[in-house]
Amino acid sequence: MREFGFELHLCAFLERERDAVLARQLGGGVHSSRRVLDVVCVEPGPNFADRTAITAERIPDLAIESDIGPGRARYYRDGFDCRPDRARHVVDWATDIGFFERERRSGRDYVRQTCRYPDDWFGRVLAIENKPDLGAPGDLETQLRKDVRLGLVDEVVLATASHVTGAHLNRIPEEVGVWRFDPETLSREVIREPMALPVADPGVEIIDEHAGWTEVRIADTDQKSRARRRLAERAYGKGWRSYDFPGCAEVEDTAVAGGGGVPYCDWKGRVVDPGNECGPDCPGFEEADPPVVDGEAERDRRTPWVADPEGQARRQSGLDRFT
């Protein structure tokens, strides 16, 4: 099975097995965005319900890190340490999703948060590297070594469909757990449990590797904490069904591991990657209306993510009168 199909089968399986937020293909760096994590699994924290009540969307990093609070509204440019056009973009974004509310005073925009952002809304974060065929590992060892040395996530797991030998285990960091996952039978064998990574300690981020030398940067505890929150926010807003179904009569929605929203092509006889495999260039393409698939409804039904929260703006209305 190709890696995309393997990844979707694994996500559907984990969605059934775990009470967590799942997402695919997210940047897993602090100083660099070049490292991409195949699957991210974010477990709910103590105040997860407070986060779900705000918005189903990702909250922009600059809005969370700004000096705009839930008390008295303030002139938007005074709350950001960035260019005015960037601040305006963030304010528009945060207002559209219900994290900010805005009012006009003397021709100026004043904003405040509709609620206090719950820092401890997420708990453990698991990163999964998918490599169905260990016979073609690519840069697998380097990728996993980057994750371990940085320690941005709590645990790292390698998921494969291959038979795992001792030689395979010896070539990857001992901190990395190993699963053998069969996408056809939807069964998983834990070959090695992952070790907990020191997320609260500084980490070393491998930026680039060259013959004879490696470029690294230190990620301090504050930088890692902010990067972990950004990773969790992006996972919350994105999910793993981050693709559109193509307008092809051969492609249909299939219930993999009991969960819908997975594109299956009858002509190819397998799950397909719509963005890279579907369209007029495919010999089996037959133009038709795309299947009606409600991925958000599937996610809402099967995970702790909430598709349509009530929001906070009305509860905060008029708060500045008492501050």
Side-chain angles (χ1 to χ4, degrees):
M1 176 175 289
R2 299 190 179 191
E3 189 163 324
F4 184 82
F6 181 89
E7 190 164 285
L8 296 199
H9 280 76
L10 181 59
C11 285
F13 170 80
L14 291 172
E15 189 176 72
R16 184 185 68 183
E17 296 292 313
R18 297 190 174 212
D19 183 37
V21 172
L22 292 163
R24 300 184 304 107
Q25 301 298 306
L26 296 178
V30 173
H31 300 294
S32 169
S33 60
R34 298 174 69 177
R35 176 68 178 116
V36 176
L37 304 176
D38 288 338
V39 177
V40 175
C41 180
V42 180
E43 296 181 354
N47 290 320
F48 185 81
D50 293 338
R51 174 61 186 85
T52 64
I54 302 172
T55 177
E57 306 294 329
R58 166 193 165 192
I59 301 174
D61 307 329
L62 285 179
I64 298 170
E65 296 170 0
S66 72
D67 291 331
I68 306 297
R72 185 183 298 274
R74 62 185 305 182
Y75 178 46
Y76 82 96
R77 286 179 58 173
D78 293 341
F80 292 89
D81 184 18
C82 62
R83 300 191 316 271
D85 60 330
R86 179 61 175 157
R88 168 69 71 180
H89 170 73
V90 173
V91 166
D92 290 343
W93 180 357
T95 302
D96 287 343
I97 63 174
F99 184 58
F100 281 177
E101 58 183 358
R102 174 167 41 195
E103 60 186 75
R104 295 284 288 179
R105 298 180 188 172
S106 303
R108 285 184 163 193
D109 281 336
Y110 284 72
V111 293
R112 61 176 165 227
Q113 290 183 16
T114 58
C115 61
R116 193 170 300 280
Y117 182 81
D119 289 320
D120 53 353
W121 68 265
F122 65 94
R124 291 192 314 158
V125 180
L126 168 69
I128 303 169
E129 178 70 18
N130 296 319
K131 193 63 64 175
D133 182 9
L134 291 181
D139 293 330
L140 177 62
E141 184 178 351
T142 299
Q143 292 167 342
L144 294 174
R145 189 170 70 251
K146 287 181 179 181
D147 298 337
V148 169
R149 291 189 178 179
L150 179 57
L152 181 64
V153 298
D154 296 87
E155 294 175 346
V156 176
V157 165
L158 165 65
T160 182
S162 296
H163 175 69
V164 182
T165 68
H168 289 135
L169 295 177
N170 289 335
R171 283 198 295 268
I172 64 175
E174 62 179 354
E175 296 89 345
V176 177
V178 180
W179 296 345
R180 189 180 184 194
F181 177 69
D182 186 340
E184 302 300 330
T185 62
L186 299 172
S187 60
R188 177 187 56 176
E189 178 186 3
V190 178
I191 305 297
R192 186 169 77 188
E193 294 284 0
M195 295 183 185
L197 300 180
V199 295
D201 297 339
V204 177
E205 184 168 14
I206 299 175
I207 304 298
D208 205 355
E209 292 188 305
H210 308 271
W213 65 282
T214 301
E215 180 185 355
V216 301
R217 291 186 66 181
I218 301 299
D220 64 32
T221 55
D222 288 341
Q223 290 169 330
K224 283 178 59 174
S225 178
R226 292 195 298 271
R228 277 172 59 82
R229 189 203 64 233
R230 289 196 299 268
L231 181 63
E233 271 295 332
R234 288 167 182 167
Y236 192 88
K238 184 177 183 182
W240 63 268
R241 297 177 179 88
S242 53
Y243 44 79
D244 294 323
F245 275 66
C248 177
E250 296 292 336
V251 178
E252 60 184 0
D253 181 19
T254 184
V256 173
V262 177
Y264 181 86
C265 176
D266 287 325
W267 189 79
K268 290 186 172 72
R270 59 174 172 81
V271 172
V272 290
D273 180 354
N276 294 310
E277 296 185 81
C278 301
D281 292 338
C282 173
F285 178 76
E286 183 180 343
E287 187 172 359
D289 291 333
V292 179
V293 179
D294 193 342
E296 288 191 354
E298 289 287 337
R299 190 184 185 204
D300 184 59
R301 184 161 62 93
R302 299 176 186 279
T303 75
W305 176 82
V306 177
D308 189 22
E310 292 184 2
Q312 302 284 337
R314 286 172 297 184
R315 277 183 254 173
Q316 287 291 114
S317 181
L319 181 62
D320 63 326
R321 291 179 298 165
F322 309 100
T323 60

